[in-house]
Amino acid sequence: MENLDTTFAALAHATRRSILSRLMQGESRLSDLAKPFNMSQTAVSKHVRVLSDAGLLTIEKRGRTRHCRLNAEPMKQATDWLIDYQAFWTQQFDNLAQHLADERE
Amino acid sequence: MENLDTTFAALAHATRRSILSRLMQGESRLSDLAKPFNMSQTAVSKHVRVLSDAGLLTIEKRGRTRHCRLNAEPMKQATDWLIDYQAFWTQQFDNLAQHLADERE
DNA sequence: TCACCACTGAACCAGATGGTTGACAATATG
DNA sequence: CATATTGTCAACCATCTGGTTCAGTGGTGA
């Protein structure tokens, strides 16, 4: 789908974020991806499906294995959306700085 | 809560993102927030609750009205997480550039 | 005081989510 | 061929989500 809803929803789960950061180090087979997690491979497969639907990774069928590769592009759109708020999360520091500056006078 | 799960989950809904961008223009009463949306005020109230639980806005009770104020700070953590992938979403352009460079030779 | 306004809470509902198990399909490998 | 590996699919389950309606609470203003 690759809209903001599905991107953010895909990122809203520690297991899936963990899968993505794993894929930063290079592509991985689905079975290898599943190993670190204390859940069935079917469950991991479902998470991978969610990430795939969100366009955050691509799956390549190779023999009997599936190879997953990171596709971070949708994250850019999510980041772009968030960046608009940058002024607001720095604001409180600015306010604090202003407050301290005022106090010194 | 203010962890990444709840932050991303809160952002994974167009109505809630819309509420947040509305609050960029300044604080707003809950009833005013609800007006643009084609749903009951109770529904909007629930969305505001989700945002409040995620720490993305604060609610101040003032007489019989509730006034919502943006608190973008949790977004910073979300952005920080996403920024790590910046190299990967530019990568495809780099690859393309490399491909074009290779072709010219 | 009385009526309205702003909002909350509870109950309900349909559908999504995150997990399980078990059966199956397809691809190696001995 | 026989068997193990890799993964999907279907069914099931509990819980969460996003919406509704209705009743109630408490503040405002005529």
Side-chain angles (χ1 to χ4, degrees):
Chain A
M1 265 210 225
E2 303 200 31
N3 55 45
L4 281 179
D5 275 24
T6 50
T7 304
F8 281 129
L11 295 176
H13 199 288
T15 301
R16 291 195 288 264
R17 288 196 306 278
S18 175
I19 289 173
L20 291 174
S21 56
R22 174 81 154 69
L23 290 178
M24 265 207 281
Q25 296 150 232
E27 75 168 37
S28 172
R29 302 190 316 166
L30 218 155
S31 51
D32 289 339
L33 276 181
K35 269 173 198 141
F37 299 107
N38 188 25
M39 63 179 80
S40 68
Q41 198 196 325
T42 306
V44 175
S45 191
K46 281 189 182 185
H47 282 301
V48 168
R49 185 62 137 70
V50 172
L51 291 167
S52 169
D53 286 349
L56 288 162
L57 56 78
T58 56
I59 307 173
E60 188 192 339
K61 195 171 167 178
R62 209 181 294 167
R64 69 182 159 186
T65 62
R66 306 288 187 281
H67 293 250
C68 301
R69 203 165 43 251
L70 183 64
N71 177 32
E73 209 276 336
M75 295 193 203
K76 173 167 165 48
Q77 287 144 251
T79 309
D80 286 348
W81 188 88
L82 282 168
I83 286 296
D84 287 343
Y85 292 85
Q86 199 154 27
F88 289 86
W89 71 60
T90 58
Q91 186 175 288
Q92 70 184 108
F93 298 110
D94 293 348
N95 287 350
L96 179 62
Q98 190 59 50
H99 177 69
L100 293 173
D102 289 351
E103 264 191 338
R104 266 196 300 277
E105 282 167 17
Chain B
M1 269 210 220
E2 301 202 30
N3 56 45
L4 282 178
D5 274 24
T6 50
T7 304
F8 280 129
L11 295 175
H13 199 288
T15 302
R16 290 194 290 263
R17 289 197 305 279
S18 174
I19 288 172
L20 291 174
S21 56
R22 174 81 154 68
L23 290 179
M24 263 206 284
Q25 296 151 234
E27 75 167 37
S28 172
R29 302 193 314 167
L30 219 156
S31 50
D32 289 339
L33 277 180
K35 269 173 196 141
F37 299 108
N38 189 25
M39 64 178 81
S40 68
Q41 201 196 324
T42 306
V44 175
S45 192
K46 281 190 181 187
H47 282 302
V48 168
R49 185 60 137 72
V50 171
L51 291 166
S52 169
D53 285 348
L56 288 162
L57 56 76
T58 56
I59 308 174
E60 188 193 339
K61 194 170 167 177
R62 209 181 295 166
R64 68 182 161 187
T65 63
R66 307 289 186 281
H67 293 250
C68 302
R69 202 165 44 249
L70 183 62
N71 177 31
E73 209 277 336
M75 295 193 201
K76 172 166 167 47
Q77 287 145 250
T79 310
D80 286 348
W81 188 89
L82 283 167
I83 286 297
D84 287 343
Y85 292 85
Q86 200 154 25
F88 289 89
W89 71 58
T90 57
Q91 185 174 289
Q92 70 183 108
F93 298 110
D94 293 347
N95 288 349
L96 179 63
Q98 190 60 48
H99 177 70
L100 294 172
D102 290 350
E103 264 190 338
R104 266 196 298 277
E105 283 169 16

